[in-house]
Amino acid sequence: MNLQQFLLALRARFGVFVLVLVATVLAAAAVTLMLPKSYKATVSLLVGVKDEQSLSNSMRPLMLPQERLSYLQTQKDIIVSKKVARKVVQDLKLAEKPSALATLKGETVEGVSIEDRLVEGLLKMVKVETSQSDVIEVSFSSPDRYFSMQVANAFARAYISTLLELRVQPAREA
């Protein structure tokens, strides 16, 4: 089969080609319009892996990969802790917003406060990821773009506040 025969075969089936193309575009458009909108806000946090025992602010020259991974995992665990999520709920005053519980898919449970349901809802929807660097990405997705942005930024602020509190508390107790 040469090029001329190939082009003749395409021309003969041009109607079928156009029909399949139009059907595909229409199906993709219909699926896009039917799916609920979801906005994802991501905050990047630079986590300096420092020697906490030293009084200097310099980075440790040689940190073992396992120590670094352990430190980053600890920071991820702090970000998705109930303490940080509770600070987010309090900072954004989510308990006072009736739409927040619906957005966070909070379930009504006997004897559980609204704040606790909001904390659980936030923790189900927040995602924390690390890469090969010292950057931790905190992502939050919801149908409201403004709410997604507020929550992602609030998690970053609450994490920084909690981290500072954890570092200062032993000195206060001493």
Side-chain angles (χ1 to χ4, degrees):
M1 173 181 259
N2 62 21
L3 182 60
Q4 184 179 11
Q5 288 175 331
F6 180 72
L7 292 175
L8 288 173
L10 279 179
R11 183 184 293 170
R13 291 177 181 61
F14 182 73
V16 174
F17 175 74
V18 170
L19 181 66
V20 170
L21 179 65
V22 169
T24 303
V25 170
L26 289 176
V31 168
T32 301
L33 292 174
M34 289 177 15
L35 289 176
K37 289 185 166 92
S38 179
Y39 297 94
K40 179 179 178 181
T42 303
V43 175
S44 297
L45 297 167
L46 177 63
V47 181
V49 183
K50 295 182 179 180
D51 184 2
E52 298 296 328
Q53 303 301 319
S54 126
L55 294 176
S56 70
N57 284 336
S58 64
M59 301 293 272
R60 282 176 62 173
L62 295 173
M63 178 169 256
L64 298 173
Q66 188 59 35
E67 287 177 326
R68 185 180 159 282
L69 289 175
S70 176
Y71 182 79
L72 289 175
Q73 183 61 45
T74 302
Q75 300 312 303
K76 284 174 63 173
D77 291 343
I78 291 171
I79 292 170
V80 294
S81 69
K82 287 187 177 186
K83 182 174 184 161
V84 171
R86 189 168 306 281
K87 280 186 181 186
V88 170
V89 169
Q90 292 167 351
D91 290 348
L92 296 178
K93 298 177 177 67
L94 294 179
E96 300 170 10
K97 299 176 183 174
S99 62
L101 195 58
T103 302
L104 296 174
K105 300 172 184 74
E107 305 148 359
T108 304
V109 179
E110 187 74 29
V112 178
S113 70
I114 291 175
E115 190 171 287
D116 289 338
R117 288 185 290 171
L118 289 168
V119 166
E120 292 299 323
L122 281 175
L123 292 177
K124 287 179 185 175
M125 295 176 72
V126 72
K127 294 203 181 343
V128 180
E129 299 172 356
T130 59
S131 61
Q132 298 297 325
S133 66
D134 292 340
V135 175
I136 295 178
E137 290 187 344
V138 181
S139 300
F140 187 82
S141 298
S142 78
D144 182 7
R145 63 181 173 192
Y146 185 68
F147 184 68
S148 295
M149 182 237 357
Q150 280 184 319
V151 172
N153 287 333
F155 260 99
R157 285 190 303 272
Y159 162 71
I160 292 168
S161 172
T162 302
L163 197 60
L164 183 62
E165 185 180 310
L166 289 172
R167 289 184 179 169
V168 171
Q169 190 63 29
R172 285 185 184 157
E173 290 176 2

